[in-house]
Amino acid sequence: MSDLDNILNSFETKFSQIKNKNDLQNLKSEFFGKNGSISLQFKIMGSLNVEERKIFAKKLNDIKDKLTSQIDKKFKDFENQAINEKLKDEKVDITLPIRSTQSGKIHPVSQVIDEISSIFSEIGFSVAEGPDVESEYNNFTALNTPEDHPARDMHDTFYLDKDKKTLLRTHTSPVQIRTMLNGKPPFKIIVPGRTYRCDSDQTHAPMFHQLEGLHIDKDITMAHLKGCLNYFIREFFEVKKIKMRFRPSHFPFTEPSAEVDIGYKIKNGKIIIGEGDKWLEILGCGMVHPNVLKNTKVDPNKFQGFAFGMGIDRLAMLKYGINDLRAFFETDFRWLNHFGFDPLDVPTNYRGLSR
Ligand code: PHE
């Protein structure tokens, strides 16, 4: 038997005993590696004469082709076998019931704060914040609120000590004081946040949300206040035209002061903002009182401006047709699921950071 036949025989025997990919890899090196039996035969070829070489080369190449195709096929078989085993282990039971998942919702109050903040930020307001626990000074005195003002009464305000020096802020206006004391004019801020009053019924909760606005500069007038609020209300309610009226009012920290009503009507049980002959009060505002400017070291002979304060919960109720304020704070998951907002479902008038 020639060397080549021997090689072929030995290959066949060894090949039939192969159990795994590793054995196959070893076998491949044994025959085709640098010093493998087949590779050595190719080296021998050079020492043969032309005639012998022709015959030898043909036979050797045939054997080489045969063995490599056998090896390649075996590799494929092992690979398929591995895939099949994996599939068997990973079998999916499609009759299993689905696992319930619950995605979170954005609370209408958070949603409305976002909407209002983005509307005002488009016209140059930045967002400021302050603490819920305030000093009596920032909440009342600095805001020109006299000692005998009814808001200072225990019936209206949650005091946190006997001396009535600290309290839960009754409005977001103390952040006007903090902002002006800590900076230099001009000021152009909005302040969303929690506020507290001793009050609870269908439209009042002891904790509620307000949004304050403050714009102080050298020549800010009541016309700016009107234009700013008109723009905001149109944007917020997504209507082109609104009816709006300023009613004379009184706040200790603004002079003159006004309350703002917007026109509405009820159609098919739904509230339509901007039309009709009914009026709805939505915010308080006015020109910042010179005493407030003095208290915050802003010169009232050089600077003036406006402030406003609105109830965020009330606006959320109006815009999204929610009629009981208390539900906002009951953390009832079913309610939130119904009235909450999908974090990925961007509302049409959203003008967040991406724009
Ligand atoms: N702070 C007032 C309130 O809580 C609202 C307001 C703010 C009015 C700013 C005028 C100016 O009712």
PDB file of all heavy atoms in Angstrom, residues 170-171 173 176 197 210 212 251 253-254 284-286 307-309, ligand 1:
ATOM      1  N   THR A 170     -48.193  80.190  52.078  1.00  0.00           N
ATOM      2  CA  THR A 170     -49.602  80.244  51.665  1.00  0.00           C
ATOM      3  C   THR A 170     -49.725  80.587  50.186  1.00  0.00           C
ATOM      4  O   THR A 170     -50.815  80.542  49.624  1.00  0.00           O
ATOM      5  CB  THR A 170     -50.362  81.301  52.484  1.00  0.00           C
ATOM      6  OG1 THR A 170     -49.755  82.581  52.251  1.00  0.00           O
ATOM      7  CG2 THR A 170     -50.310  80.992  53.964  1.00  0.00           C
ATOM      8  N   HIS A 171     -48.619  80.999  49.590  1.00  0.00           N
ATOM      9  CA  HIS A 171     -48.587  81.289  48.157  1.00  0.00           C
ATOM     10  C   HIS A 171     -47.145  81.199  47.660  1.00  0.00           C
ATOM     11  O   HIS A 171     -46.226  81.010  48.471  1.00  0.00           O
ATOM     12  CB  HIS A 171     -49.208  82.665  47.834  1.00  0.00           C
ATOM     13  CG  HIS A 171     -48.706  83.801  48.682  1.00  0.00           C
ATOM     14  ND1 HIS A 171     -49.151  85.086  48.554  1.00  0.00           N
ATOM     15  CD2 HIS A 171     -47.785  83.849  49.684  1.00  0.00           C
ATOM     16  CE1 HIS A 171     -48.543  85.870  49.422  1.00  0.00           C
ATOM     17  NE2 HIS A 171     -47.719  85.135  50.124  1.00  0.00           N
ATOM     18  N   SER A 173     -45.642  83.621  46.239  1.00  0.00           N
ATOM     19  CA  SER A 173     -45.079  84.979  46.201  1.00  0.00           C
ATOM     20  C   SER A 173     -43.792  85.165  47.024  1.00  0.00           C
ATOM     21  O   SER A 173     -42.958  86.001  46.647  1.00  0.00           O
ATOM     22  CB  SER A 173     -46.135  85.994  46.633  1.00  0.00           C
ATOM     23  OG  SER A 173     -47.272  85.875  45.810  1.00  0.00           O
ATOM     24  N   GLN A 176     -40.696  85.585  45.095  1.00  0.00           N
ATOM     25  CA  GLN A 176     -40.367  86.927  44.564  1.00  0.00           C
ATOM     26  C   GLN A 176     -39.323  87.568  45.461  1.00  0.00           C
ATOM     27  O   GLN A 176     -38.324  88.116  44.996  1.00  0.00           O
ATOM     28  CB  GLN A 176     -41.597  87.846  44.618  1.00  0.00           C
ATOM     29  CG  GLN A 176     -42.694  87.595  43.623  1.00  0.00           C
ATOM     30  CD  GLN A 176     -43.765  88.695  43.755  1.00  0.00           C
ATOM     31  OE1 GLN A 176     -43.471  89.827  44.141  1.00  0.00           O
ATOM     32  NE2 GLN A 176     -45.005  88.354  43.441  1.00  0.00           N
ATOM     33  N   ARG A 197     -52.986  76.061  52.597  1.00  0.00           N
ATOM     34  CA  ARG A 197     -53.935  76.872  53.364  1.00  0.00           C
ATOM     35  C   ARG A 197     -54.917  75.971  54.081  1.00  0.00           C
ATOM     36  O   ARG A 197     -55.222  74.878  53.589  1.00  0.00           O
ATOM     37  CB  ARG A 197     -54.726  77.829  52.448  1.00  0.00           C
ATOM     38  CG  ARG A 197     -53.887  78.980  51.948  1.00  0.00           C
ATOM     39  CD  ARG A 197     -54.650  79.915  51.030  1.00  0.00           C
ATOM     40  NE  ARG A 197     -53.701  80.621  50.169  1.00  0.00           N
ATOM     41  CZ  ARG A 197     -54.036  81.395  49.153  1.00  0.00           C
ATOM     42  NH1 ARG A 197     -55.314  81.582  48.855  1.00  0.00           N
ATOM     43  NH2 ARG A 197     -53.113  81.992  48.438  1.00  0.00           N
ATOM     44  N   GLN A 210     -49.432  76.485  42.983  1.00  0.00           N
ATOM     45  CA  GLN A 210     -49.544  77.803  42.362  1.00  0.00           C
ATOM     46  C   GLN A 210     -48.391  78.017  41.396  1.00  0.00           C
ATOM     47  O   GLN A 210     -47.360  77.337  41.474  1.00  0.00           O
ATOM     48  CB  GLN A 210     -49.438  78.900  43.430  1.00  0.00           C
ATOM     49  CG  GLN A 210     -50.748  79.256  44.076  1.00  0.00           C
ATOM     50  CD  GLN A 210     -50.657  80.600  44.813  1.00  0.00           C
ATOM     51  OE1 GLN A 210     -49.573  81.122  45.055  1.00  0.00           O
ATOM     52  NE2 GLN A 210     -51.803  81.137  45.161  1.00  0.00           N
ATOM     53  N   GLU A 212     -46.280  81.414  40.168  1.00  0.00           N
ATOM     54  CA  GLU A 212     -46.062  82.841  40.314  1.00  0.00           C
ATOM     55  C   GLU A 212     -45.323  83.347  39.083  1.00  0.00           C
ATOM     56  O   GLU A 212     -44.537  82.612  38.484  1.00  0.00           O
ATOM     57  CB  GLU A 212     -45.155  83.024  41.542  1.00  0.00           C
ATOM     58  CG  GLU A 212     -45.009  84.422  42.012  1.00  0.00           C
ATOM     59  CD  GLU A 212     -46.158  84.804  42.920  1.00  0.00           C
ATOM     60  OE1 GLU A 212     -46.977  83.923  43.271  1.00  0.00           O
ATOM     61  OE2 GLU A 212     -46.248  85.985  43.269  1.00  0.00           O
ATOM     62  N   PHE A 251     -54.432  93.246  46.403  1.00  0.00           N
ATOM     63  CA  PHE A 251     -53.412  92.415  47.056  1.00  0.00           C
ATOM     64  C   PHE A 251     -52.448  93.393  47.703  1.00  0.00           C
ATOM     65  O   PHE A 251     -52.115  94.422  47.091  1.00  0.00           O
ATOM     66  CB  PHE A 251     -52.645  91.546  46.033  1.00  0.00           C
ATOM     67  CG  PHE A 251     -53.521  90.589  45.286  1.00  0.00           C
ATOM     68  CD1 PHE A 251     -53.914  90.862  43.979  1.00  0.00           C
ATOM     69  CD2 PHE A 251     -53.955  89.410  45.884  1.00  0.00           C
ATOM     70  CE1 PHE A 251     -54.723  89.986  43.288  1.00  0.00           C
ATOM     71  CE2 PHE A 251     -54.771  88.522  45.186  1.00  0.00           C
ATOM     72  CZ  PHE A 251     -55.151  88.813  43.895  1.00  0.00           C
ATOM     73  N   PHE A 253     -49.394  93.299  48.014  1.00  0.00           N
ATOM     74  CA  PHE A 253     -48.071  93.389  47.370  1.00  0.00           C
ATOM     75  C   PHE A 253     -48.124  93.916  45.944  1.00  0.00           C
ATOM     76  O   PHE A 253     -47.105  93.969  45.260  1.00  0.00           O
ATOM     77  CB  PHE A 253     -47.358  92.034  47.410  1.00  0.00           C
ATOM     78  CG  PHE A 253     -48.304  90.857  47.320  1.00  0.00           C
ATOM     79  CD1 PHE A 253     -48.664  90.324  46.091  1.00  0.00           C
ATOM     80  CD2 PHE A 253     -48.853  90.317  48.480  1.00  0.00           C
ATOM     81  CE1 PHE A 253     -49.547  89.263  46.017  1.00  0.00           C
ATOM     82  CE2 PHE A 253     -49.748  89.236  48.412  1.00  0.00           C
ATOM     83  CZ  PHE A 253     -50.096  88.716  47.177  1.00  0.00           C
ATOM     84  N   THR A 254     -49.305  94.284  45.448  1.00  0.00           N
ATOM     85  CA  THR A 254     -49.385  94.906  44.115  1.00  0.00           C
ATOM     86  C   THR A 254     -50.278  96.135  44.166  1.00  0.00           C
ATOM     87  O   THR A 254     -51.216  96.212  44.953  1.00  0.00           O
ATOM     88  CB  THR A 254     -49.951  93.919  43.064  1.00  0.00           C
ATOM     89  OG1 THR A 254     -51.091  93.262  43.612  1.00  0.00           O
ATOM     90  CG2 THR A 254     -48.920  92.890  42.628  1.00  0.00           C
ATOM     91  N   GLY A 284     -54.649  86.104  39.893  1.00  0.00           N
ATOM     92  CA  GLY A 284     -54.521  87.428  40.492  1.00  0.00           C
ATOM     93  C   GLY A 284     -53.226  88.049  40.006  1.00  0.00           C
ATOM     94  O   GLY A 284     -52.253  87.349  39.736  1.00  0.00           O
ATOM     95  N   CYS A 285     -53.227  89.387  39.873  1.00  0.00           N
ATOM     96  CA  CYS A 285     -52.014  90.021  39.358  1.00  0.00           C
ATOM     97  C   CYS A 285     -51.980  91.503  39.712  1.00  0.00           C
ATOM     98  O   CYS A 285     -52.903  92.040  40.329  1.00  0.00           O
ATOM     99  CB  CYS A 285     -51.944  89.862  37.845  1.00  0.00           C
ATOM    100  SG  CYS A 285     -53.302  90.668  36.983  1.00  0.00           S
ATOM    101  N   GLY A 286     -50.931  92.176  39.299  1.00  0.00           N
ATOM    102  CA  GLY A 286     -50.844  93.614  39.510  1.00  0.00           C
ATOM    103  C   GLY A 286     -49.424  94.100  39.308  1.00  0.00           C
ATOM    104  O   GLY A 286     -48.520  93.332  38.976  1.00  0.00           O
ATOM    105  N   ALA A 307     -46.477  91.303  38.628  1.00  0.00           N
ATOM    106  CA  ALA A 307     -46.445  89.956  39.197  1.00  0.00           C
ATOM    107  C   ALA A 307     -47.815  89.345  38.989  1.00  0.00           C
ATOM    108  O   ALA A 307     -48.813  90.056  38.855  1.00  0.00           O
ATOM    109  CB  ALA A 307     -46.107  89.997  40.683  1.00  0.00           C
ATOM    110  N   PHE A 308     -47.851  88.041  38.925  1.00  0.00           N
ATOM    111  CA  PHE A 308     -49.153  87.359  38.872  1.00  0.00           C
ATOM    112  C   PHE A 308     -49.039  86.020  39.586  1.00  0.00           C
ATOM    113  O   PHE A 308     -47.929  85.500  39.792  1.00  0.00           O
ATOM    114  CB  PHE A 308     -49.637  87.176  37.417  1.00  0.00           C
ATOM    115  CG  PHE A 308     -48.658  86.423  36.540  1.00  0.00           C
ATOM    116  CD1 PHE A 308     -48.610  85.037  36.538  1.00  0.00           C
ATOM    117  CD2 PHE A 308     -47.793  87.129  35.698  1.00  0.00           C
ATOM    118  CE1 PHE A 308     -47.709  84.354  35.719  1.00  0.00           C
ATOM    119  CE2 PHE A 308     -46.886  86.448  34.875  1.00  0.00           C
ATOM    120  CZ  PHE A 308     -46.843  85.057  34.893  1.00  0.00           C
ATOM    121  N   GLY A 309     -50.188  85.487  39.977  1.00  0.00           N
ATOM    122  CA  GLY A 309     -50.191  84.182  40.643  1.00  0.00           C
ATOM    123  C   GLY A 309     -51.432  83.426  40.212  1.00  0.00           C
ATOM    124  O   GLY A 309     -52.532  83.973  40.188  1.00  0.00           O
TER     125      GLY A 309
HETATM  126  N1  PHE B   1     -50.250  85.528  45.833  1.00  0.00           N
HETATM  127  C1  PHE B   1     -51.577  85.793  45.379  1.00  0.00           C
HETATM  128  C2  PHE B   1     -52.524  84.726  45.902  1.00  0.00           C
HETATM  129  O1  PHE B   1     -52.075  83.744  46.382  1.00  0.00           O
HETATM  130  C3  PHE B   1     -51.666  85.854  43.888  1.00  0.00           C
HETATM  131  C4  PHE B   1     -50.905  86.994  43.311  1.00  0.00           C
HETATM  132  C5  PHE B   1     -49.588  86.854  42.968  1.00  0.00           C
HETATM  133  C6  PHE B   1     -51.517  88.220  43.118  1.00  0.00           C
HETATM  134  C7  PHE B   1     -48.872  87.910  42.432  1.00  0.00           C
HETATM  135  C8  PHE B   1     -50.841  89.291  42.590  1.00  0.00           C
HETATM  136  C9  PHE B   1     -49.516  89.119  42.257  1.00  0.00           C
HETATM  137  O2  PHE B   1     -53.733  84.850  45.822  1.00  0.00           O
END
